Amino acid sequence: MAQANVPFDKRLKRIVRRHDRIASGGAVKTVTSDGLIVARPRVYKPKFPLKGLLAVIVLGFLFKGFVFASLGADGYAERVDALKQGSVMEQAGAWIMQADPATVMIAEGVNIVLSQ
C-alpha cells in the first residue's frame, strides 16, 4: 500500500513547488487548443540589466575610438599620460582610457568613414 502512494506524493510535491513558484514570481496564462486556461510560472529574469551593461561597454569603446581618431595616437597618448599623473580617480580614468586593440580598430574604421 505504501508503494502506491509514492507516485502520488511525487506529483503532489511537483504541484506544490509549481504553485509556490507561481505565488512568488507570478504566472503567465495561456489558452490551450482545447480551451483550457493554463497558468505557468514566469521565467526567471535576472534583476541586473545585462543588456544595459553591455550597451554601456560598447558605447564606451565607441567613445574611445572616436576620441582616438580625432586626437591621433600621439595626442591621445599624451592626454592619457597626463591623467596618469593626477588623483586616484584620474588614474582610474587613465587605466580605462588607455589605447587597446579594440579602440585602435574602431578609430581606424572612423578614419576610413570620415575621410570619404
Side-chain angles (χ1 to χ4, degrees):
M1 190 72 171
Q3 289 291 338
N5 287 338
V6 172
F8 176 76
D9 290 338
K10 285 176 98 174
R11 183 170 184 268
L12 185 62
K13 282 183 183 179
R14 190 182 76 227
I15 291 170
V16 169
R17 228 183 2 246
R18 187 177 205 182
H19 176 75
D20 290 343
R21 283 181 49 204
I22 289 173
S24 66
V28 176
K29 296 172 183 77
T30 57
V31 180
T32 60
S33 62
D34 61 354
L36 182 65
I37 299 172
V38 178
R40 292 198 174 101
R42 286 191 191 272
V43 177
Y44 171 74
K45 293 187 180 179
K47 303 290 184 202
F48 189 76
L50 294 177
K51 289 180 185 177
L53 179 64
L54 182 64
V56 167
I57 290 171
V58 168
L59 288 173
F61 276 108
L62 287 174
F63 173 74
K64 284 173 52 174
F66 277 107
V67 171
F68 191 89
S70 67
L71 294 176
D74 295 332
Y76 191 83
E78 288 175 10
R79 301 223 180 173
V80 171
D81 288 337
L83 281 176
K84 287 180 183 177
Q85 306 305 320
S87 67
V88 174
M89 289 300 291
E90 290 173 340
Q91 290 174 4
W95 183 78
I96 291 171
M97 294 299 289
Q98 65 188 353
D100 50 27
T103 303
V104 174
M105 186 175 69
I106 291 170
E108 289 172 357
V110 169
N111 283 335
I112 291 171
V113 170
L114 293 181
S115 67
Q116 292 179 355

